[in-house]
Amino acid sequence: MAGNAQLDTSSNPARLRISGDWTLAHYTRLKQQTEQLAGQYDAQTAIDLDEVSSIDTAGASLLVDLLGAERVSQLTDTAHKLPAADRALLQTVYASLRDFCVPVKVPQQNICILLLSRIGGAVYKLWQDSLQLLGFIGLILQTLARNLFRPKQWRITPMVAHIEQIGLNAAPIVVLLTFMVGAVVAFLGATVLANFGAGIFTVDLVAFSFLREFGVLLTAILLAGRTASAFTAQIGSMKANEEIDAIRTLGLDPMDLLVLPRVLALLIALPLLTFLAMMAGILGGAVVCVVSLGISPDMFISLLHSDIGVQHFLVGMVKAPFFAFLIAAVGCLEGFKVSGSAESVGEHTTSSVVQSIFIVIVLDAVAALFFMEMGW
Amino acid sequence: MQAPREAIIEVRGLCNRFGSQAVHENLDLDVYKGEILGVVGGSGTGKSVLLRSIVGLRRPTEGQVRVFGQDLLSLPEEARSKIERRFGVLFQSGALFSSLTVTENIALPLIEHAGLSRPDAEHLACVKLALAGLPLSAADKYPSMLSGGMIKRAALARALALDPDILFLDEPTAGLDPIGAAAFDQLILTLRDAMGLSVFLVTHDLDTLYTITDRVAVLSQKRVLVAAPIKQVEDYDDPWIHEYFHGPRGRAAYEAATKIKEQ
């Protein structure tokens, strides 16, 4: 039977009849009833709990809200028809609610002030993040310098494992991606340059763009998405699980144990992948040249020999270690920033990918300017 | 006690194997309505695995688990969800949702299943928090900001959210201070008496076993060795059981419980 609360005003003093199931299933309706009844009765009103058939914590809390804690505590002594168990429940709920009031919500702030404080917070956070990243880079270099001359401290096994994960396992996707982009660049070049009768320069276009820029940039962006996120998630869930603290209490250094192998692995893997990417890109371009421009493979190679100096290859390759170092540093640092929750792991993983891609592109643009001014 | 009682959980011929390692072989167990069943056993005897098999988180290798007379694993999704709403489970490490505050954790099932509005659900969540003995200041905190004991209490509050019929507790008093643990025991007793709860209690806390359990099931040798009131279990002829209940800790807990009962 559904719960009910009825005020009977015919008798004097008035009687408040409470009956039926006071359970979670009827909560919404009972809540409305009790809200209507509020203020309609006073301390003189007799309260009748005799017809209550069942009660659970939800119902009991409603009764406490309706009648007030004091009234309920009296009732639990006087309502003898109520089973002892139900009285005990009422008593438990009233006793635990006695010193416990519902939290007061903070009033909403002015939206302009809120907006300004958000902007201020974001700027401050950017500043703090930059400082932290610089500090962390310093810490990595320091640890690296300390361990460089202590071969016993070198952690070869985890480093090789990481190289396999981030280098070898990423090779197929890097090669496929750059091959496709190489083909697309060649198509673009063929279409535009053919109008000027300069279709043959497609070879230069592909080779220049992949050796100087695309090879390293595409690889770095791919690894920023693939590896920075993995580093953050790995270190972050260790942090959330107090494993980092365990490492510290064992007298070990997480920088040494977790960060260095990852940084070194990426420092080795990214240049190797960059080389693969350059080759695959040029191969993609070559295939398009052969198929749609009628340039024979021999001619393609001899054009490469005559037009493209080795410095273009070096300009591309020299950027790879810098990108690798920054991607690894951002990935690891974001991992250490994780606090407790699963949500925080996700948040910092996103942030590490966004940051590392941003840094890679900015650094690449600065490097392009620099190399151009130097005439390399 | 001798009258035929209604079994709400029936485990028959349960086998659980991990690869070649068998954890349970032909395990039978009943949980009756309104009782508090303590489940004990050495480490690695599969107490938690048994709990997971009953609540349907793990498909047993063989055997049958019937809850409220129905085989949970063979039911369609919707019917199963309906039965699962009558479970309250307190996991060993709390398993609170780390991205929600304590109040939101408890309000979630209330909003999803009981169809309450958010303010109502949060109000009820506060009631459960108070019941579980958490201070108000914990209500808006995230689980990562709570101490171990508070996480246990918050997890109990969530297990109680839907006023379940069966409460599964996996080592609820581990990590609580003695005062907190005793209050926890009393709370479970009160709730059982008031709501006719059945409680499936995995524990190593001898005080809890002596104070609140109606029966104790001992898991050993891959099955339930004995399931009986604690006095009978104590006298069961098995070296492990003897050491468990007659060791210094067992004796101390027994004497403490007797003293409390005398008072």
Side-chain angles (χ1 to χ4, degrees):
Chain A
M1 192 179 75
N4 210 356
Q6 224 172 12
L7 194 63
D8 181 4
T9 45
S10 56
S11 61
N12 196 8
R15 282 184 90 74
L16 181 61
R17 264 183 227 283
I18 290 167
S19 61
D21 287 345
W22 280 65
T23 54
L24 186 60
H26 309 293
Y27 187 84
T28 315
R29 205 176 49 76
L30 284 173
K31 171 122 185 167
Q32 282 169 0
Q33 272 193 357
T34 54
E35 274 166 3
Q36 282 166 10
L37 280 172
Q40 291 187 22
Y41 63 92
D42 50 33
Q44 259 70 52
T45 314
I47 292 161
D48 185 357
L49 288 178
D50 293 350
E51 285 160 46
V52 172
S53 47
S54 78
I55 196 164
D56 66 4
T57 50
S61 83
L62 266 182
L63 279 180
V64 175
D65 287 347
L66 174 67
L67 305 172
E70 280 171 38
R71 207 67 201 272
V72 170
S73 76
Q74 289 166 14
L75 276 174
T76 50
D77 298 332
T78 53
H80 294 296
K81 274 198 186 166
L82 203 62
D86 286 352
R87 268 184 290 165
L89 179 74
L90 266 179
Q91 215 150 24
T92 314
V93 170
Y94 122 78
S96 47
L97 279 178
R98 195 172 33 189
D99 312 314
F100 195 101
C101 51
V102 180
V104 192
K105 290 274 178 235
V106 188
Q108 266 207 324
Q109 277 185 314
N110 187 330
I111 193 147
C112 289
I113 294 175
L114 216 61
L115 190 72
L116 281 175
S117 77
R118 278 277 182 93
I119 295 174
V123 172
Y124 182 72
K125 189 171 170 293
L126 187 69
W127 172 240
Q128 287 295 317
D129 281 353
S130 316
L131 273 187
Q132 254 178 345
L133 183 62
L134 287 175
F136 192 69
I137 289 174
L139 201 58
I140 295 175
L141 291 177
Q142 187 199 6
T143 319
L144 193 65
R146 198 178 54 211
N147 285 356
L148 205 57
F149 303 106
R150 280 192 249 162
K152 272 196 177 170
Q153 298 270 333
W154 295 357
R155 299 183 191 278
I156 305 294
T157 318
M159 194 180 80
V160 173
H162 283 301
I163 291 179
E164 186 192 342
Q165 254 176 38
I166 63 189
L168 197 61
N169 293 352
I173 183 75
V174 168
V175 168
L176 181 71
L177 190 88
T178 43
F179 181 86
M180 304 282 209
V181 175
V184 170
V185 169
F187 266 123
L188 283 177
T191 324
V192 177
L193 294 172
N195 292 338
F196 305 102
I200 197 80
F201 286 110
T202 305
V203 179
D204 292 30
L205 177 70
V206 171
F208 264 107
S209 53
F210 269 87
L211 290 181
R212 292 186 72 106
E213 295 293 340
F214 281 179
V216 65
L217 194 62
L218 285 174
T219 315
I221 289 177
L222 206 73
L223 286 204
R226 196 179 179 274
T227 309
S229 57
F231 286 179
T232 307
Q234 287 161 0
I235 295 182
S237 51
M238 287 181 80
K239 176 90 188 292
N241 206 12
E242 292 185 323
E243 288 171 53
I244 306 280
D245 298 339
I247 290 176
R248 288 216 174 93
T249 53
L250 288 171
L252 299 166
D253 183 6
M255 292 298 292
D256 188 15
L257 218 62
L258 302 175
V259 178
L260 268 199
R262 287 182 167 79
V263 172
L264 293 178
L266 199 57
L267 271 175
I268 294 171
L270 186 62
L272 292 177
L273 286 175
T274 300
F275 180 76
L276 275 185
M278 289 172 173
M279 295 306 115
I282 293 175
L283 188 69
V287 168
V288 170
C289 286
V290 170
V291 171
S292 74
L293 289 177
I295 303 171
S296 74
D298 288 346
M299 198 168 151
F300 189 92
I301 290 181
S302 69
L303 275 174
L304 276 187
H305 270 297
S306 59
D307 287 2
I308 314 291
V310 74
Q311 82 267 23
H312 302 300
F313 170 73
L314 294 178
V315 160
M317 282 308 271
V318 85
K319 290 186 277 191
F322 291 96
F323 290 170
F325 186 80
L326 286 169
I327 291 170
V330 168
C332 293
L333 176 61
E334 286 299 315
F336 282 113
K337 285 189 197 163
V338 166
S339 66
S341 68
E343 196 180 17
S344 166
V345 176
E347 216 171 84
H348 285 284
T349 309
T350 313
S351 155
S352 91
V353 173
V354 172
Q355 275 186 52
S356 47
I357 290 181
F358 175 79
I359 290 176
V360 161
I361 291 178
V362 168
L363 193 68
D364 189 66
V366 172
L369 272 176
F370 174 74
F371 290 131
M372 200 177 73
E373 290 298 318
M374 297 299 287
W376 288 346
Chain B
M1 289 293 276
Q2 300 311 315
R5 289 171 296 172
E6 185 191 344
I8 52 176
I9 299 175
E10 298 163 85
V11 182
R12 291 288 174 271
L14 182 78
C15 297
N16 269 310
R17 294 191 198 96
F18 294 93
S20 60
Q21 188 204 356
V23 178
H24 301 137
E25 291 276 13
N26 254 326
L27 182 148
D28 293 342
L29 181 67
D30 284 332
V31 182
Y32 299 109
K33 194 170 168 23
E35 76 168 349
I36 299 181
L37 175 75
V39 177
V40 301
S43 302
T45 47
K47 303 181 294 289
S48 296
V49 177
L50 177 60
L51 190 153
R52 292 173 68 86
S53 305
I54 295 176
V55 298
L57 288 173
R58 191 192 141 74
R59 187 171 280 275
T61 319
E62 267 172 55
Q64 212 185 20
V65 177
R66 296 173 72 81
V67 184
F68 304 113
Q70 280 169 304
D71 187 355
L72 210 55
L73 290 172
S74 64
L75 282 179
E77 194 65 33
E78 213 162 293
R80 203 176 128 173
S81 165
K82 240 181 206 151
I83 289 188
E84 279 169 352
R85 271 175 235 176
R86 298 166 70 182
F87 292 167
V89 185
L90 167 66
F91 289 94
Q92 210 165 352
S93 54
L96 293 172
F97 305 121
S98 56
S99 52
L100 302 179
T101 64
V102 170
T103 323
E104 286 166 344
N105 257 289
I106 305 164
L108 177 78
L110 289 169
I111 294 171
E112 292 293 323
H113 285 319
L116 297 189
S117 68
R118 207 182 158 87
D120 280 353
E122 286 189 350
H123 176 72
L124 259 188
C126 282
V127 175
K128 312 274 168 179
L129 272 183
L131 265 180
L134 270 175
L136 176 63
S137 56
D140 284 331
K141 285 188 177 157
Y142 285 92
S144 55
M145 299 152 82
L146 298 181
S147 69
M150 285 163 98
I151 286 179
K152 279 273 154 73
R153 287 166 184 277
L156 176 73
R158 188 179 68 184
L160 289 174
L162 291 174
D163 282 301
D165 292 330
I166 316 176
L167 201 53
F168 294 91
L169 307 173
D170 198 350
E171 307 213 2
T173 49
L176 292 188
D177 63 82
I179 304 171
F184 204 99
D185 290 349
Q186 282 313 312
L187 174 63
I188 291 170
L189 263 185
T190 314
L191 289 173
R192 191 275 304 262
D193 292 343
M195 294 150 64
L197 274 178
S198 313
V199 182
F200 183 97
L201 173 75
V202 174
T203 189
H204 280 304
D205 190 332
L206 284 154
D207 292 310
T208 306
L209 284 176
Y210 275 104
T211 358
I212 66 169
T213 54
D214 299 313
R215 287 193 312 145
V216 173
V218 180
L219 284 190
S220 185
Q221 295 147 35
K222 296 173 188 169
R223 59 196 176 89
V224 176
L225 210 56
V226 53
I230 196 159
K231 288 302 312 168
Q232 292 169 36
V233 174
E234 265 183 7
D235 301 334
Y236 190 82
D237 185 23
D238 179 86
W240 189 85
I241 294 181
H242 189 83
E243 203 173 327
Y244 194 96
F245 289 101
H246 294 268
R249 281 162 173 261
R251 283 302 89 194
Y254 170 72
E255 276 155 25
T258 335
K259 255 182 215 162
I260 290 170
K261 274 176 195 157
E262 277 167 7
Q263 283 168 13

